Structure formats: structure tokens, C-alpha cells
């Protein structure tokens, strides 16, 4: 009897006692408890997790926030716990740091919840930027004394780009076309034409359609004034297009050349023709059924024999003729001066080479460790021998966005990276005077070509203006064995390089 009464009392007391909740606010400096000596302190957290979520305030630039959840360790030290402090450090083009302190509204009376689960809390509030590496650290308060070892827990989190199902709702991603669904359909009309249909975006009216099958076999500019409507374009192609990839690249005023593209697959266009008329005279049809059944049986047998013979013919054909071997991608060494924005020019050009020209790109920024081990001169010499083509990338495309992300701030690519462009030019200049090796070098620029007086020798190399000369440029890349005639350009390069 007393046992029943005791259990009832415990249940009633647990129902009356409120469960602890959290109230969070910013706290950038050290916690006040750090300056006070504590005989006993709570243990560390049991688990710490982070994920991006969409905030309730829609269409704001910081609408994507961190959902940080943590689980308390179920031990006796939980009775000493009063708060948990969380600090987030973000590293991308610039570094950010902020902290919040979450106070518990009630003292913990039990190691677990009355329902039996572990004590779990979550906080939503730190804004998430695109493609940023975050370090999240958390510790319980009161923490250890000034000279003590304070237990803490930390996790790393790297935010994805605009193609992520959550990050696509960020304002910058929306302006780049993350929510645009063009619903691309493409079909092969004949051996020379592919018809591409898609829904235009309200953000702009200029597009470029590429047809790619290992290499770019066709491209066409599209300008549609009616935004948000269905449009069609006929793209001339120079090869087999069935099964090829359609790359639709938009050019919006909100994102320029950094907009999000979409892809589709080319299929055969449906054949147009009128259907056979239906016979409504059922009595006449039923009279012909006895005569149709033998004919249908004979037709089925002939069809089966034809299929069998065709299968045997295809089998013999496959064993008689070897299948075509896909050539490996060409290797391209890209060198660029330090004033070019790496993220908005070099990376964009590299992605174009990989996706549209089937190329394997070599960049100094991707091989810093090898450069440090071999030295820049040996590294450039080795990469020149391994590469099929060497591209000097020039650009005057410097805008406000590029100045903000690639400017001379702490940790920027311009400040920390060694400029290998002058060294590469001097090392390769002897090749520019040779008729045998000149075909290996190209110059690519996005706007007008602007070679400095020190690099006038580059004028002897073939120059291509992207995206105007994109198709010609991709075709030229695969002529790696073709030796071009240099004529007067050889003598001009000899005069300019001899003074270096």
C-alpha cells in the first residue's frame, strides 16, 4: 500500500515540476563564470549536430540558418549545469565569428527526461553562407577554472552551393536562377538539326544552348523577349546528336556569366502521322475473324523468324568488328596573371573546359604542394611536357562582385598565391619562336584582348574570344597533333622573345 502511494506521489511531483527550456542571447566575450572558482563543474555534451534550415522569414538574404542541436550527457553532473555556450567560426572569402549563450530556465532534477529520453535541445539562428566551411564549438557552463581543462565538443560543417535543395532558396541563388525550371525537351529532327524547347525565366531573356557528345557539336544563341513562356530554337549540329547532352546556359542581369545552367538529353523527334480509322461495323468484323486468325498466325511466325535472323546478324557483326575506342581527354595547362579574379574568371573557364571541351585542366592553385616540393620552374617544365595545350588566360572582366571576393584582403587568392604568369611566359617564350611548338599555345580572353607590352609575344598565338568563339575554340583544342603554319608570326615572336 505504501509503495503505491509513494509511486503516485512521485508521478504527481514530476507532473507539477516544469521541464527545463532554453533562452538564448548573444555573448561574444568570456562567460562571467570563467572568473569564479568552482569546486565541481558539469561534464561535456554527449552529441552535437548541425544542419541548414529555411527560416520563417522568406526571401531574406539570411533566410538559411543553422539548426544546431545537442544532447546532454546523462550523469550526476547535470545537476550543476546552468547554460550551454555555442560559438561558430566561418571561413570563406572572409572570416566570421559569433557566439550565443543558451541559459536553462530550470535546474535539472533528473539525468533524463521524465519520459525516459535524453535531454535534447536545439537553437536556430546563425546565418549560413554559400560554400563556406564552419567550425562549431560548444561547452557547458559553469566551465572549468582558468587553469583547468574545460570539456567541450566541436563539429565541422561545409555549406553546399546553390544546387542544394535547401540552399537554393538563398537570395543570391534565386537571383542566379536556382528556382528556374526550364523543363528542357530536345529532339533530333534530322542529321543536322536538333530542336530544343524550354520555358524562359522572368530573370532574363538571353540564353545559349550547347549540344555536347564528348565534344561540343552544336551551339546557338537564344534571345526571347517574352519572359516565362515556352520557346523553341533549332541548333545546327556537326555529328550524331541522339543521346547527346543539352546544356542550357542563361545570362541574367542579376548574375551575369555566373548563372546556374540546366541540362537535358536529345531524343528522336516523334513521327507525325494520322492514326488508322476505327471500323464501327462489328458484325462485318466478326465475319472476317475466322479468315484473319490463320493470316495472323503466319505473320507472327514470319516476324519471329525475322527477329531471330536479325539477332544472329547483329551477334556476328559485333564479333567481327571491334567497337570504337573513346579517346582520352586532352590535358590543358592554364596560366593566368594575378590580377584575374580566380573565382569568377579562372574557375568559370575551367568548368567550361571540363564540361564542354572534354578536357583535363592543370592549375597551379590546385597543386600548391607539388609546386612547393618541385619548385615553380621544375613544376612548369614538367606540366608543359605533360600538357597537350597551354592556354594563356587574359581578361578585363573586373566588376564589383569580383573586387569584393578577390580583392586584396587577408587570405585572398591574390595575396597568398604566387604569380606564375611572368615565369611561365619567359620559360615558354622559346617555344613561341618555334614552328614546331607554336601550335601548342593559345590565348583566351573574355572581353577585348589586353596584353601588356612585356607580353606582346603572345600576339603570335591563336586568340579566341569567349563566348563568341566557343565552338571554334573547342574544335581547335582537339587538333593537338596539327602543326599550324606560323609565317610572319614566327619572325615577330623571334624579335620579341630575343630581348627577354
Amino acid at each position: 500500500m505504501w509503495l503505491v502511494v509513494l509511486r503516485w506521489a512521485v508521478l504527481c511531483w514530476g507532473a507539477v515540476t516544469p521541464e527545463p527550456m532554453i533562452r538564448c542571447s548573444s555573448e561574444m566575450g568570456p562567460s562571467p563564470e570563467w572568473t569564479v572558482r568552482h569546486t565541481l563543474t558539469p561534464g561535456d555534451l554527449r552529441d552535437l549536430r548541425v544542419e541548414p534550415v529555411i527560416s520563417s522569414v522568406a526571401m531574406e538574404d539570411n533566410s538559411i540558418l543553422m539548426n544546431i542541436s545537442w544532447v546532454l550527457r546523462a550523469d550526476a553532473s547535470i545537476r550543476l549545469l546552468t547554460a550551454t555556450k555555442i560559438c561558430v567560426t566561418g571561413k570563406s572569402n572572409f572570416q566570421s565569428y559569433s557566439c550565443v549563450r543558451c541559459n536553462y530556465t530550470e535546474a535539472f532534477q533528473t539525468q533524463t527526461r521524465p519520459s525516459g529520453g535524453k535531454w535534447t535541445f536545439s537553437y536556430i539562428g546563425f546565418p549560413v553562407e554559400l560554400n563556406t566551411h564552419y567550425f562549431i564549438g560548444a561547452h557547458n557552463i559553469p566551465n572549468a577554472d582558468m587553469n583547468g581543462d574545460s570539456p567541450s565538443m566541436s563539429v565541422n560543417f561545409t555549406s553546399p552551393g546553390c544546387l542544394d535543395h535547401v540552399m537554393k532558396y538563398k537570395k543570391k541563388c534565386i537571383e542566379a536562377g536556382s528556382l528556374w525550371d526550364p523543363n528542357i525537351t530536345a529532339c533530333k529532327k534530322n542529321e543536322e538539326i536538333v530542336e530544343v524547347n524550354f520555358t524562359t525565366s522572368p530573370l532574363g531573356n538571353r540564353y545559349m544552348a550547347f549540344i555536347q557528345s564528348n565534344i561540343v557539336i552544336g551551339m546557338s544563341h537564344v534571345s526571347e523577349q517574352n519572359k516565362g513562356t515556352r520557346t523553341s530554337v533549332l541548333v545546327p549540329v556537326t555529328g550524331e546528336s541522339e543521346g547527346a547532352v543539352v546544356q542550357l546556359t542563361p545570362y541574367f542581369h542579376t548574375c551575369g556569366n555566373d548563372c546556374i545552367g540546366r541540362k537535358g538529353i536529345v531524343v528522336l523527334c516523334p513521327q507525325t502521322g494520322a492514326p488508322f480509322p476505327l471500323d464501327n461495323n462489328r458484325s462485318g468484323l466478326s465475319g472476317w475473324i475466322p479468315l484473319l486468325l490463320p493470316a495472323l498466325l503466319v505473320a507472327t511466325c514470319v516476324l519471329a523468324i525475322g527477329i531471330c535472323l536479325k539477332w544472329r546478324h547483329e551477334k556476328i557483326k559485333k564479333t567481327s568488328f571491334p567497337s570504337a575506342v573513346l579517346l582520352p581527354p586532352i590535358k590543358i595547362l592554364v596560366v593566368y596573371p594575378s590580377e584575374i579574379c580566380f573565382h569568377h574568371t579562372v574557375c568559370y573557364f575551367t568548368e567550361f573546359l571540363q564540361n564542354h571541351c572534354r578536357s583535363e585542366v592543370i592549375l597551379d592553385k590546385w597543386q600548391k604542394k607539388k609546386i612547393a616540393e618541385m619548385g615553380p620552374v621544375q613544376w612548369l617544365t614538367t606540366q608543359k611536357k605533360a600538357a597537350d595545350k597551354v592556354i594563356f588566360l587574359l581578361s578585363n572582366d573586373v566588376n564589383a562582385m569580383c573586387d569584393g571576393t578577390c580583392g586584396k584582403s587577408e587570405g585572398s587568392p591574390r595575396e597568398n598565391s604566387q604569380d606564375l604568369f611572368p615565369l611561365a611566359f619567359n620559360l615558354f617564350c622559346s617555344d613561341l619562336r618555334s614552328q614546331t611548338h607554336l601550335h601548342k599555345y593559345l590565348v583566351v580572353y573574355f572581353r577585348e584582348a589586353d596584353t601588356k607590352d612585356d607580353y606582346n609575344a603572345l600576339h603570335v598565338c591563336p586568340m579566341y574570344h569567349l563566348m563568341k568563339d566557343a565552338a571554334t575554340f573547342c574544335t581547335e583544342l582537339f587538333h593537338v597533333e596539327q602543326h599550324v603554319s606560323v609565317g610572319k608570326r614566327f619572325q615577330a615572336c623571334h624579335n620579341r622573345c630575343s630581348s627577354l
Side-chain angles (χ1 to χ4, degrees), residues 303-366:
L303 180 62
I305 294 173
I307 293 175
C308 182
L309 292 176
K310 184 178 180 181
W311 176 79
R312 292 186 61 186
H313 175 72
E314 292 293 332
K315 185 177 180 180
I316 296 173
K317 183 179 179 180
K318 288 182 179 180
T319 56
S320 301
F321 301 97
S323 58
V325 178
L326 184 64
L327 294 176
I330 63 173
K331 292 185 178 181
I332 298 177
L333 172 61
V334 178
V335 292
Y336 53 92
S338 59
E339 60 266 18
I340 285 188
C341 178
F342 182 81
H343 291 284
H344 294 88
T345 302
V346 180
C347 289
Y348 173 79
F349 179 61
T350 301
E351 182 181 359
F352 174 82
L353 290 176
Q354 293 172 335
N355 294 342
H356 302 297
C357 300
R358 195 168 171 268
S359 305
E360 179 181 337
V361 182
I362 305 171
L363 286 180
D364 58 342
K365 193 170 182 63
W366 295 348

Side-chain angles (χ1 to χ4, degrees), residues 19 46 54 70 92-93 182 252 321-322 339 407 464 477 480 494:
E19 290 189 0
R46 188 180 188 276
I54 304 174
W70 64 95
S92 182
N93 295 325
F252 304 146
F321 301 97
E339 60 266 18
Y464 296 93
L477 286 182
V480 295
H494 176 79

